[in-house]
Amino acid sequence: MTRSVRRADLKAVGEVRRALRELLRHRCRGETADVAELLITEVVTNALVHTEQGAEVSASLRGGRLRVEVRDHVALLPRPYVPSADDGTHGRGLVLMQALADDWGVDPLGPGRGKVVWFDLGVTGTGRA
């Protein structure tokens, strides 16, 4: 699955989530698909909220693993932090990534080329009936 999302097009987040759900249908347990949808929502939303350009989203299944990558055009690397109670829902995306993904990271692409935020999840098991 590959999608391009335009800058500030938060409607696209739901479209990306639905495409991921379709990719995972019948390929993994429902709980794993739910976690994948939550995490892709977080990383795509972060890319659209914190950048001036759009992002490219890709998701692939290989060897019982889901790999999701979100490339944006800003070189500034995100930093996880523990939000205070006054932050509302701000700042929880990378904390969720740390807690729920099997592995995740940020790969800088070089000066002026942006970065890729990615996560991996094990998806072996049966899907929803």
Side-chain angles (χ1 to χ4, degrees):
M1 172 195 98
T2 303
R3 297 283 190 277
S4 292
V5 291
R6 291 186 317 267
R7 177 180 76 87
D9 183 7
L10 296 180
K11 255 186 355 187
V13 176
E15 295 165 6
V16 167
R17 189 174 51 244
R18 283 187 292 280
L20 180 67
R21 184 181 314 129
E22 186 61 29
L23 175 70
L24 296 178
R25 192 166 55 125
H26 306 301
R27 292 181 177 94
C28 68
R29 293 183 311 272
E31 302 85 29
T32 302
D34 293 343
V35 168
E37 287 181 44
L38 173 64
L39 294 179
I40 201 169
T41 298
E42 292 295 334
V43 294
V44 172
T45 300
N46 282 349
L48 295 180
V49 168
H50 297 292
T51 67
E52 291 296 318
Q53 297 175 338
E56 289 82 41
V57 182
S58 66
S60 59
L61 288 166
R62 289 192 184 107
R65 311 266 325 147
L66 170 69
R67 172 73 167 220
V68 171
E69 297 181 349
V70 178
R71 179 185 185 270
D72 65 44
H73 303 279
V74 174
L76 183 65
L77 302 180
R79 294 181 192 217
Y81 72 97
V82 177
S84 71
D86 296 336
D87 282 341
T89 59
H90 174 72
R92 289 177 170 74
L94 293 178
V95 173
L96 287 171
M97 191 87 71
Q98 288 177 323
L100 298 174
D102 292 337
D103 197 12
W104 77 280
V106 181
D107 296 332
L109 298 174
R113 295 185 52 222
K115 66 184 169 296
V116 174
V117 179
W118 58 269
F119 69 86
D120 291 334
L121 282 176
V123 295
T124 56
T126 57
R128 297 176 179 144

